[in-house]
Amino acid sequence: MAKIIAINAGSSSLKFKLFEMEGEKVLAQGLFDRIGISNGTIKIKYGEKEYRKEAELKDHAVAVKRLLQLLLKLGIVQDFAEIVGVGHRVVAGGEYFKKSVAVNSRIIRRINELTEYAPIHNPANLMGIEAFRKILPNAVSVAVFDTSFHQTMPKENYVYSVPYEWYHKYGARRYGAHGTSHRYVVQVAAHMMEKPLKQLKLISCHLGAGASLCAVKNGKSFDTSMGFTPLTGITMATRSGDVDVSLISFMMQKLDMHSMPEVIYDLNKKSGLLGISGISSDMRDIEAKCKTDERAQLAIDIFVKDVVKYVGAYMAEMGGLDGIIFTAGIGENSGYIREKIMKRLEFLGIEVDEKANAKRGVAEFISTPTSRVAALMIPTNEELMIARDVKTIIEAKIEKEKLAPVVIKSHSN
Ligand code: ADP
């Protein structure tokens, strides 16, 4: 049976999910961690079983080789030829990649050129792509970009109010992120709402460690809270979200720092929920402390306010709202945070269904049937979206090959 593998390669990790193409069944999933660092670990879940091992994973090529050997050894695949497609998450696609594409050497060069937009992620994604192409040369390799979904934004929503040449000459603009997740959950939402996606105005709230909101108008990304990088928008686990950039030079002086990247590092790694609370970057820890700790409470208040502020702005920009979707770690699991957000949006006509909102990790309406604006909790599934894109590209390739004219070779000489 034909299988597709979805890959998310980070700088020192590689996550995967293997799907059976027909029926989209997950056959195995796992994580190769600490690649290129000592004490690497391998975790694979398949059916009810789990495989765990410590291993030295010198680089991504070694991790990929181990992964494929294990798929055979554990009996998850019988032959590598069963894996017909490999989909790779790629963080930055710039303005060039407006949708997922089959990878060839030209595409690899392009992704490499876009490294300046994602200096850590794109090279890691490329390592994953190269490693699979070497070991599975016959499988169709597909790149799926975090940014492509947002390429439909109108210019007024992605051009920054800075000298226009910055955009024109250097590509300094809003690109957004989490596109694969936003694209997936709005499709599920339209299905649940029994309306064509093209007729809906939705706001997708991807609230994980990284968090972004996306206004989706008539099925297309209309605006999104992350910007040139994933640093901006709402407050996140350790990222600041929107701040006045003048803080950078001011704090450089105050903290006696020698370069801007040092301050930007703090904005990425020491800010957000962690920075405000001083307790943790994890919403679970903050929820546990908020009754007794003022700063934990403040972190929650700022997080909730940020979401509410963007929902208000996006509803105004789109000229209406049919539904709001909660997804990712916090969005799927914290009824407490969802309720706080929805209560502040009651004026829009959102009525919370408290019983439904007490659930977690299932696709469910969490607003009452009479709610003027629907609220939905939808577990995201970026890997499935990646696998579906691979499937679409494979099917188009097969169709094209069928239609290609047959070349009859002349044997006249
Ligand atoms: P990532 O951006 O790394 O993919 P996830 O979407 O997995 O992040 O979200 C991880 C975050 O979700 C955790 O850091 C935590 O803040 C939050 N989270 C997970 N489970 C819960 C829960 N039950 N209650 C509140 N927050 C949760």
Side-chain angles (χ1 to χ4, degrees), residues 65 78 115 118 255:
K65 213 166 166 186
Q78 309 306 320
T115 288
L255 300 175

Side-chain angles (χ1 to χ4, degrees), residues 47-82:
E48 298 292 300
K49 298 186 199 151
E50 194 167 89
Y51 172 92
R52 275 171 186 263
K53 196 155 178 76
E54 290 187 1
E56 288 311 309
L57 303 166
K58 188 167 71 74
D59 53 30
H60 284 72
V62 169
V64 170
K65 213 166 166 186
R66 279 299 286 271
L67 162 59
L68 290 166
Q69 282 166 349
L70 281 167
L71 292 180
L72 275 182
K73 194 174 149 203
L74 300 172
I76 301 163
V77 301
Q78 309 306 320
D79 190 319
F80 288 157
E82 289 169 26

